[in-house]
Each structure stands twice: as C-alpha cells, then as structure tokens.
Amino acid sequence: MRGEHPDPPGSAQQLLVTLGQLVDQALERIKYQRARVELAMALQRHMLPPGLPELPGLRIAARYTPARDGLDVGGDWYDAFVMADGSLALAIGDVQGHDVEAIAFMGQVRTSLRAVAGTTADTREVLARANDLLISMGCGLFATCCFLRFDPVSRDLTVSRAGHVPMVWATASGRTGVALDLGGAPLGIMPGEKYPVTRRRLTEGGVLVLLTDGVVEGPHYPIESGLAEVVRLVEAGREGDPGVLASAIVRVADLTGHRDDAAVLVVRYDGPDADALAP
C-alpha cells in the first residue's frame, strides 16, 4: 500500500530479544532483593533468644512480628535470662535503622547487656556500662531499651529505661496502669549517661508487659491511644495464659497502622504473695 514503510527485516525479532533481556534483568533484581530480605530476616531471627527461661512461679511469653511491608527489616528485640545471682533479667529494645547494619547492632546491644549484667545486678549500672561500651565501638547507631531485674526471693523489681516505651502492669486486684518511670537517653548517644532506677514489688498475680513502639504508635495513631488499648487488653487477660495475652497485644499494631516491626514480652508471676504491685 502506498505510504507504508514496512519494518526492516529482523527488527521485530530484535525487539523481542531486547524485551526478553529486560525481563531477565528484572527477574534477577527481584531474586536478589528477595534473597537479601530473606537473609536479613533469618539473621534477625537468630539474633532473638532461642528460648525463654523457666523459673518457679513465673510464666514468660514473647511475640515478634516483622515489618508490615515485607521490604525492610527492623531492629526490635527482646531478651530474658537468669543472672549470676539467680535473679531474672528482662530486656526489650528498638535499634535505629532498618537494614542489616541495624540487625548487627541489635546483636551488639544484646551481647553488651548480657556481658555487663554478668558483673553487676544494678539495672542502672547495666545500662550505663552497656551505653559506654556501645559508644566505644563507634557504630554510630543508637538503641532504646528497657531493662528489668526481678529477684524471685524478695520479689523486688528494679527498672531502668533508656529512651524506651514505658511498660504496662497489672495486679491481682485488678489495678492496671502505665509505668511512667524516669529514664535516660537511648544507648549509644551520650557518654557517661546516668539511668535512674525505679523500685517496685512484683507479687502474686502481677503482670508486666514490655513492648516496642511498633506495637502502640502509628502515623496517625498517638502512642497514648496505643498504650490505653494495651492496658485494656491486660486488664481483660491478666488472669489468662501470657502467650494468649502477648498475641493479642502484638496485634494492636494492626490498629495503629505502623509499618515497623513489633515486639512484646509478657511476664506473669504466680508466686505466694497476693499484695499489690505498687511504685
């Protein structure tokens, strides 16, 4: 037909070859990204404790959910271990960043806390020494943390915070609340930082909930509302299985719209004393 200009021979075939190459490159990038995320998430899982300690009269449960987008990995973590004097150490925290470097720093934070806790039972000293140790490593990152020590003999509970979300508590009598204890700067920022300590008494039927901001805070959801929802759940489920309560609490993140990872640590003490948990 007059005016038509047919494609040169082989141009259609060359176009198909080019498109095929672009598709192959895209698939390779997807495979690489998937492998990177899977590797980072596997590393992150191995950074969390493989199990939780078992002590008479204590039931401990933990839950962790990864970032909602599935593209980033976070630095939320928790830990629970028995100290040299037989007391129970509980820790939870959130590391700055969402990459493999943040996960590696998370491991350094957990290791530092455990190492220092082997030399002192003072929670403020644990955070202070761990803070200086992390700064000396020169990582350039920081982490929030809440560190607790519970003596199962005296039932004394000491708490120190490094810029972290406050814990939620409940007593056997039905009292619940948010522990707005004083705290210091996040770990890894201020050399020589001091961390105040709050002393409490954990008694029979007492419940403690440690969590990260990924549970209770979202882009359009204030942290006060998230904590209020956790208090409601604790009030309703304080007498039940800590694992069930932990699962319910970590799902609060679905309300907040937070895309970050989230961690929850729940402790219930079924000891012989029925006194209230009080500051």
Side-chain angles (χ1 to χ4, degrees):
M1 183 180 294
R2 184 177 299 175
E4 289 186 351
H5 300 282
D7 293 334
S11 61
Q13 181 179 2
Q14 182 60 41
L15 176 61
L16 291 175
V17 170
T18 301
L19 287 175
Q21 291 174 341
L22 291 174
V23 170
D24 287 342
Q25 292 173 8
L27 289 175
E28 286 300 318
R29 285 195 294 270
I30 291 172
K31 290 179 181 177
Y32 171 78
Q33 176 70 1
R34 183 179 301 167
R36 184 187 70 83
V37 172
E38 289 178 353
L39 176 62
M41 291 186 70
L43 176 61
Q44 187 174 34
R45 285 193 299 270
H46 284 296
M47 288 294 183
L48 296 175
L52 298 171
E54 297 182 2
L55 292 175
L58 280 169
R59 288 188 287 169
I60 309 172
R63 295 291 185 270
Y64 170 83
T65 58
R68 309 303 192 275
D69 289 334
L71 296 176
D72 294 325
V73 287
D76 287 16
W77 57 275
Y78 62 85
D79 203 359
F81 56 93
V82 178
M83 303 175 74
D85 63 356
S87 59
L88 174 67
L90 300 167
I92 196 164
D94 186 358
V95 172
Q96 169 199 14
H98 297 84
D99 50 28
V100 175
E101 184 179 2
I103 297 172
F105 186 63
M106 175 179 67
Q108 291 177 322
V109 173
R110 282 191 59 232
T111 301
S112 298
L113 287 172
R114 282 194 174 226
V116 175
T119 64
T120 178
D122 190 333
T123 58
R124 76 187 112 191
E125 282 296 315
V126 171
L127 289 186
R129 294 183 192 178
N131 174 62
D132 290 342
L133 179 59
L134 291 168
I135 291 175
S136 71
M137 294 178 183
C139 298
L141 298 177
F142 66 84
T144 66
C145 178
C146 182
F147 188 84
L148 287 74
R149 174 185 176 271
F150 175 62
D151 186 332
V153 177
S154 66
R155 297 185 294 281
D156 289 334
L157 180 75
T158 54
V159 186
S160 292
R161 290 197 302 146
H164 196 72
V165 180
M167 68 176 181
V168 174
W169 55 266
T171 68
S173 64
R175 294 174 57 208
T176 56
V178 177
L180 299 177
D181 305 321
L182 297 176
L187 304 176
I189 295 181
M190 297 287 293
E193 177 71 345
K194 305 298 182 183
Y195 296 93
V197 61
T198 300
R199 302 186 185 279
R200 297 176 180 268
R201 187 173 174 83
L202 182 61
T203 54
E204 183 180 6
V207 174
L208 302 175
V209 177
L210 286 69
L211 41 78
T212 59
D213 63 357
V215 179
V216 293
E217 187 177 28
H220 308 290
Y221 200 92
I223 190 172
E224 293 80 8
S225 298
L227 286 170
E229 179 63 17
V230 172
V231 169
R232 186 189 68 79
L233 291 171
V234 171
E235 185 175 6
R238 59 186 171 77
E239 297 180 344
D241 186 338
V244 174
L245 179 57
S247 296
I249 292 173
V250 82
R251 287 195 294 270
V252 171
D254 296 334
L255 300 175
T256 68
H258 205 302
R259 311 306 296 176
D260 202 354
D261 52 345
V264 174
L265 189 62
V266 175
V267 180
R268 176 180 166 85
Y269 180 57
D270 296 321
D273 194 334
D275 292 339
L277 171 66

